Amino acid sequence: MPYPLIFLLAVCTTNLWGQSECGVNNHAFSSGEVLHYQVVYNWGAIWIESAEGTFSVLPSLVKGHPGYRLIGTGFTYPKYNWIYKVQDDFESFLDSATFRPLRFRATIHEGSKHEKHDYFFNNLTHKVYTSIQRGSANIRVDSLKIGSCTVDVLTAIYFARNLDYSACKVNDTLTMSLLLDNKLYPIYIRYLGKAVYEDKALGKFNCVKFSPLLVEGTIFKGGEGMTVWVSDDRNKIPLYIETHIIVGTIKVKLTRFEGLRNQMDSKIH
């Protein structure tokens, strides 16, 4: 899954905390969970199943305490590499006691772009220390002041899955601070209410539906041109995402899952 698309999954499922502290109790996932996604590109009459991505949760020791190692990978299918090859790998270490990120790493290969990112979070001093290498250029080291609720794109997915959407009303907007590419973005999502999502292979599900504010970039248009469907149960899994890009539309759908912590009570049949 290309880097912008892992950002897509993070943004569209995040942003539901209004409190000053972001501690949550994990009830949505556990070690051993794996989620598989397929990426479909649509342009007019053209439909291309072009890429896939996987999100995994592994156990980890974080400063001697139990934590989580979150892994996200994505790649284009070999037959499309001649058009635009993608091989992206993401990794976050999360303190399960505080539910805050401690480290984020990414290796990004997209077309001619090759980057390595390594971020260390100090949540006591509210700072993040970043190391970024773009291509063959020298490594750039920097630091940023962050807020109590600043998260990286991978951790954001798992934060959001443990938040309570029940207090939201249609068209409510909810904000957060997202660390992306060594910059902090104050973004929001708009709650669109309940919906039903149906997939031929997985079945029909009750969902909650959102529209996030996108950061304008190389393929994304800025604004609220994305919609996401999340399972309306304790797992809160992103089931389907659709967004317009500069040319065409991208659709991301869950294809299979393993090791869920809870029953999929949102499934209708």
Side-chain angles (χ1 to χ4, degrees):
M1 180 173 300
Y3 185 43
L5 290 181
I6 203 166
F7 166 57
L8 176 156
L9 275 172
V11 171
C12 69
T13 55
T14 320
N15 314 339
L16 292 177
W17 45 77
Q19 65 269 42
S20 59
E21 296 296 324
C22 298
V24 294
N25 295 317
N26 177 30
H27 55 73
F29 68 90
S30 56
S31 297
E33 180 192 87
V34 185
L35 305 177
H36 302 269
Y37 292 88
Q38 184 176 68
V39 182
V40 179
Y41 173 70
N42 173 226
W43 181 35
I46 299 174
W47 294 81
I48 301 175
E49 296 176 349
S50 57
E52 65 180 62
T54 302
F55 295 85
S56 306
V57 182
L58 299 175
S60 177
L61 283 179
V62 179
K63 297 183 177 180
H65 299 282
Y68 296 107
R69 180 187 176 200
L70 312 175
I71 298 175
T73 63
F75 61 91
T76 46
Y77 295 132
K79 63 182 176 180
Y80 299 117
N81 283 345
W82 67 277
I83 301 175
Y84 191 79
K85 182 178 180 179
V86 171
Q87 176 63 63
D88 291 343
D89 297 281
F90 299 83
E91 183 178 40
S92 290
F93 291 88
L94 176 66
D95 188 330
S96 59
T98 63
F99 231 77
R100 291 176 178 170
L102 295 175
R103 188 177 185 184
F104 170 77
R105 295 190 293 193
T107 301
I108 302 163
H109 297 284
E110 298 175 3
S112 60
K113 181 172 76 172
H114 302 277
E115 298 182 0
K116 291 185 178 181
H117 296 243
D118 199 352
Y119 305 160
F120 288 88
F121 292 81
N122 188 326
N123 293 299
L124 294 177
T125 61
H126 299 296
K127 297 194 74 173
V128 60
Y129 301 88
T130 64
S131 172
I132 300 176
Q133 183 176 28
R134 306 185 194 275
S136 59
N138 292 332
I139 296 174
R140 179 180 175 182
V141 178
D142 200 356
S143 64
L144 295 171
K145 189 73 174 178
I146 59 175
S148 299
C149 300
T150 299
V151 292
D152 62 77
V153 294
L154 189 53
T155 300
I157 300 171
Y158 295 89
F159 263 88
R161 289 176 56 191
N162 282 286
L163 299 172
D164 183 7
Y165 306 136
S166 62
C168 293
K169 298 178 181 179
V170 174
N171 285 325
D172 279 354
T173 56
L174 305 132
T175 62
M176 72 166 291
S177 174
L178 179 71
L179 176 62
L180 179 69
D181 201 16
N182 203 42
K183 295 180 181 179
L184 296 175
Y185 292 93
I187 60 174
Y188 68 82
I189 64 170
R190 188 179 301 280
Y191 177 70
L192 301 179
K194 300 295 181 73
V196 173
Y197 167 70
E198 185 171 6
D199 178 81
K200 291 182 179 179
L202 295 180
K204 185 181 290 188
F205 297 85
N206 289 315
C207 299
V208 286
K209 193 175 175 182
F210 301 97
S211 177
L213 175 69
L214 292 179
V215 178
E216 186 170 0
T218 55
I219 69 168
F220 287 122
K221 299 177 182 179
E224 297 181 28
M226 179 190 295
T227 307
V228 59
W229 287 253
V230 177
S231 66
D232 191 11
D233 54 31
R234 288 174 65 85
N235 296 300
K236 293 189 175 71
I237 297 173
L239 296 171
Y240 179 69
I241 302 159
E242 185 172 321
T243 185
H244 298 291
I245 56 175
I246 300 300
V247 178
T249 302
I250 288 176
K251 304 173 188 288
V252 182
K253 64 177 183 177
L254 181 73
T255 56
R256 65 186 191 276
F257 49 83
E258 307 159 26
L260 297 186
R261 179 167 182 166
N262 307 294
Q263 293 292 323
M264 286 287 281
D265 296 330
S266 60
K267 188 169 183 178
I268 300 171
H269 62 73

